[in-house]
Amino acid sequence: MKIAIIEDELLAVNYLKGLLDKQTIIPVTETVVLRSKKQAIDFFQTHSADLIFMDIHLGDGMSLEIFEHVELFTPIIFITAFDEYAMRVFRHFTIDYLLKPFEEEDLHKALQKFISIRNNFDPESTLKSISSLQTGDSDMMKRFMVREGNKLKSIDEHHVAYFFASGKYLFLTSKDHQTYIYDDTIKDIIQKLNPQVFFKINRKFIINKEAVTDIIKHTSQKVELKLSPEPEVNAEVFISKVQIAECLSWLNS
């Protein structure tokens, strides 16, 4: 098997290579070490691997940015010293998530998991299953996973009042007046939502139709929506001028 290690720390590379040389779970015929995001992008544009070990923090940026440049369906075992990225990495073909410093036993368990998945599922059907879990039968998201303290919580689409962007973050506000950081961007999430339920009214807000309590028409080019719960920031919510006609039609449907 051809293994790719995406890691900028030489000690971490040598430690992982040493463990891979000792283990007997998978036959490693070639190991490629990629020390930066750029090296990884350049490599995967023309090459492939059977399994990838990927650190998240690299010297020239986040390794998750690699997915913006190349399409990878290779199984990945993420290795990082930070646990806050666990939800983000499982959007990809992730086998496991190892927290540094990890032990030999942790690596063996991850490799056993990889072998079990490879032996029981072909890549095409596995990817379809992952896609189905994430987006539902109709290719639209029906539930949204958020973090509540040290727990994870799944919120049904009909309990979401709106999404709003503030600074670098996207937030989800539920109908019971709770607000959570949601790991996505407003540009991407709108592509995954049911258009009968949600509408992107401006650059910052995607609303659920049921969250609208009042429509205030200041002028033909200035229409305000009152939402419940009322946003804690950006309390005045206006429909983008170019969206007014379409949004009002959507609200009336």
Side-chain angles (χ1 to χ4, degrees), residues 180-210:
Y180 311 89
I181 292 178
Y182 190 73
D183 190 17
D184 210 328
T185 66
I186 200 164
K187 179 181 177 182
D188 289 340
I189 191 67
I190 189 61
Q191 308 297 328
K192 310 167 190 173
L193 301 175
N194 185 343
Q196 294 181 346
V197 179
F198 295 98
F199 191 94
K200 182 174 178 286
I201 62 169
N202 56 38
R203 292 184 301 169
K204 293 185 177 295
F205 275 87
I206 298 173
I207 64 167
N208 184 329
K209 188 182 299 184
E210 296 176 357

Side-chain angles (χ1 to χ4, degrees), residues 151-176:
K151 298 179 181 178
L152 297 178
K153 180 178 180 180
S154 179
I155 301 177
D156 183 83
E157 66 173 352
H158 294 292
H159 293 152
V160 177
Y162 47 81
F163 296 89
F164 70 94
S166 180
K168 298 180 179 179
Y169 298 98
L170 180 67
F171 295 87
L172 180 158
T173 295
S174 61
K175 291 181 179 178
D176 59 356

Side-chain angles (χ1 to χ4, degrees), residues 9 15 26 38 40 75 79 88 90 93 107 128 138 145 152 154 157 167 169 173 178 180 190-191:
E9 298 178 8
Y15 177 68
I26 60 171
K38 183 180 184 305
I79 300 173
R88 287 183 67 181
F90 278 97
F93 200 2
L107 175 66
K128 286 180 179 177
S138 61
M145 191 75 73
L152 297 178
S154 179
E157 66 173 352
Y169 298 98
T173 295
Q178 300 298 312
Y180 311 89
I190 189 61
Q191 308 297 328

Side-chain angles (χ1 to χ4, degrees), residues 229-240:
E230 185 175 326
E232 296 179 8
V233 295
N234 302 316
E236 293 183 331
V237 180
F238 291 91
I239 306 172
S240 171

